[in-house]
């Protein structure tokens, strides 16, 4: 198995949290659900999934006193939209396990600065733009794990939605995942290893009023 794509809905997150906490940072169970879901594509048991992805061994403490496993070789992960909300929770979970974490963000410098203080390598990039995606991967290298998490929403009825607004939502939520996955998969295929995780919205299953895009 060369590369693995597993579509995750934020239903996984909402199922364990109240509505106001769906994007809460530092939630353990939702992130473990994500890890286990990826591991399922390799036919692994829960323990093997976590050990494989996180490379855990009893070992040293991480940055700023965090407990994390010592690895024979440092693994890397790139999380788009990785400096806030669910993306930040994913970034921190893998940081705690010894990964080198790259988090792409589009504009929020305050959250990026806070993420850097935690040890995350935050890189500004509009992942809906092909040139910026190529530059991003040129700077980080192809990671062991790619998490396509970046997404935006537009709270507007269809009759009030402009074509430009529609295109922007699909550029960030769909095109960006394609561009990043294409860039990562080229190297993952040649080295015969790598994981790609796509995080989508619960509205993809149920639909939502006033969010036509």
């Amino acid at each position: 198995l060369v590369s693995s794509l597993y579509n995750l809905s934020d239903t996984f997150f909402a199922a364990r949290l109240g509505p106001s906490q769906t994007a809460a940072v530092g939630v353990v169970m939702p992130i473990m659900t994500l890890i286990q879901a990826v591991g399922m594509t390799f036919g692994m048991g829960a323990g093997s999934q976590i050990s494989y992805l996180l490379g855990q061994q009893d070992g040293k403490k991480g940055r700023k006193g965090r407990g994390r496993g010592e690895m024979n070789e440092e693994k890397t992960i790139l999380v788009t939209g990785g400096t806030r909300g669910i993306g930040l929770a994913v970034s921190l979970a893998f940081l705690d396990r010894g990964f080198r974490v790259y988090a792409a963000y589009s504009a929020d410098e305050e959250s990026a600065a806070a993420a850097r203080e935690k040890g995350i390598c935050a890189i500004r990039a509009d992942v809906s733009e092909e040139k910026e995606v190529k530059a991003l991967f040129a700077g980080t290298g192809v990671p062991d794990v790619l998490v396509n998490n970046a997404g935006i929403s537009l709270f507007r009825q269809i009759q009030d939605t402009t074509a430009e607004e529609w295109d922007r939502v699909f550029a960030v939520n769909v095109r960006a995942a394609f561009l990043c996955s294409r860039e990562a998969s080229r190297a993952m295929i040649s080295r015969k290893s790598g994981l790609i995780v796509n995080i989508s919205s619960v509205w993809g299953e149920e639909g939502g009023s006033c969010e036509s895009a």
Side-chain angles (χ1 to χ4, degrees), residues 55 57 70-75:
Q57 298 174 3
E70 183 177 3
M71 298 182 300
N72 295 325
E73 183 179 348
E74 185 179 48
K75 294 184 176 71

Side-chain angles (χ1 to χ4, degrees), residues 44-161:
M44 297 177 178
S48 298
Q49 295 160 19
I50 296 168
S51 295
Y52 175 82
L53 283 171
L54 305 182
Q56 287 186 209
Q57 298 174 3
D58 292 334
K60 59 188 178 183
K61 291 286 183 179
R63 292 182 180 85
K64 297 185 178 180
R66 281 194 163 94
R68 66 181 186 184
E70 183 177 3
M71 298 182 300
N72 295 325
E73 183 179 348
E74 185 179 48
K75 294 184 176 71
T76 59
I77 182 171
L78 170 61
V79 184
T80 66
T83 61
R84 298 191 305 177
I86 291 172
L88 178 58
V90 172
S91 296
L92 291 174
F94 280 86
L95 183 70
D96 282 347
R97 296 336 193 267
F99 274 68
R100 179 168 180 78
V101 178
Y102 297 101
Y105 70 99
S106 61
D108 189 342
E109 294 293 348
E110 184 177 349
S111 66
R116 291 187 185 105
E117 290 181 1
K118 294 177 172 64
I120 295 168
C121 182
I123 302 172
R124 185 164 185 167
D126 182 347
V127 288
S128 70
E129 294 292 335
E130 186 173 19
K131 288 183 179 179
E132 295 200 31
V133 169
K134 288 182 179 293
L136 173 65
F137 277 82
T140 64
V142 175
D144 296 288
V145 181
L146 166 66
V147 178
N148 288 311
N149 169 74
I152 60 174
S153 62
L154 179 68
F155 193 74
R156 194 161 298 171
Q157 294 183 335
I158 191 167
Q159 66 268 26
D160 300 320
T161 301

Side-chain angles (χ1 to χ4, degrees), residues 6 8-9 12-13 16-17 24-41 44-56 67 86 89-97 99 197 199:
Y6 199 104
L8 292 175
S9 167
F12 283 111
F13 295 81
R16 292 175 172 79
L17 302 173
V25 174
V27 179
V28 176
M29 284 305 295
I31 302 307
M32 299 312 288
T33 300
L34 184 153
I35 292 167
Q36 291 172 4
V38 174
M40 282 167 58
T41 64
M44 297 177 178
S48 298
Q49 295 160 19
I50 296 168
S51 295
Y52 175 82
L53 283 171
L54 305 182
Q56 287 186 209
I86 291 172
V90 172
S91 296
L92 291 174
F94 280 86
L95 183 70
D96 282 347
R97 296 336 193 267
F99 274 68
V197 181
I199 297 180

Side-chain angles (χ1 to χ4, degrees), residues 182-210:
R182 184 183 64 177
E183 204 65 29
S185 64
R186 287 168 174 165
M188 288 180 177
I189 289 170
S190 65
R191 72 189 185 198
K192 295 181 171 59
S193 69
L195 295 169
I196 297 175
V197 181
N198 298 315
I199 297 180
S200 62
S201 172
V202 66
W203 297 136
E205 296 181 354
E206 299 181 0
S209 63
C210 297

Side-chain angles (χ1 to χ4, degrees), residues 1-16:
L1 181 61
V2 174
S3 88
S4 171
L5 289 87
Y6 199 104
N7 291 305
L8 292 175
S9 167
D10 57 14
T11 310
F12 283 111
F13 295 81
R16 292 175 172 79

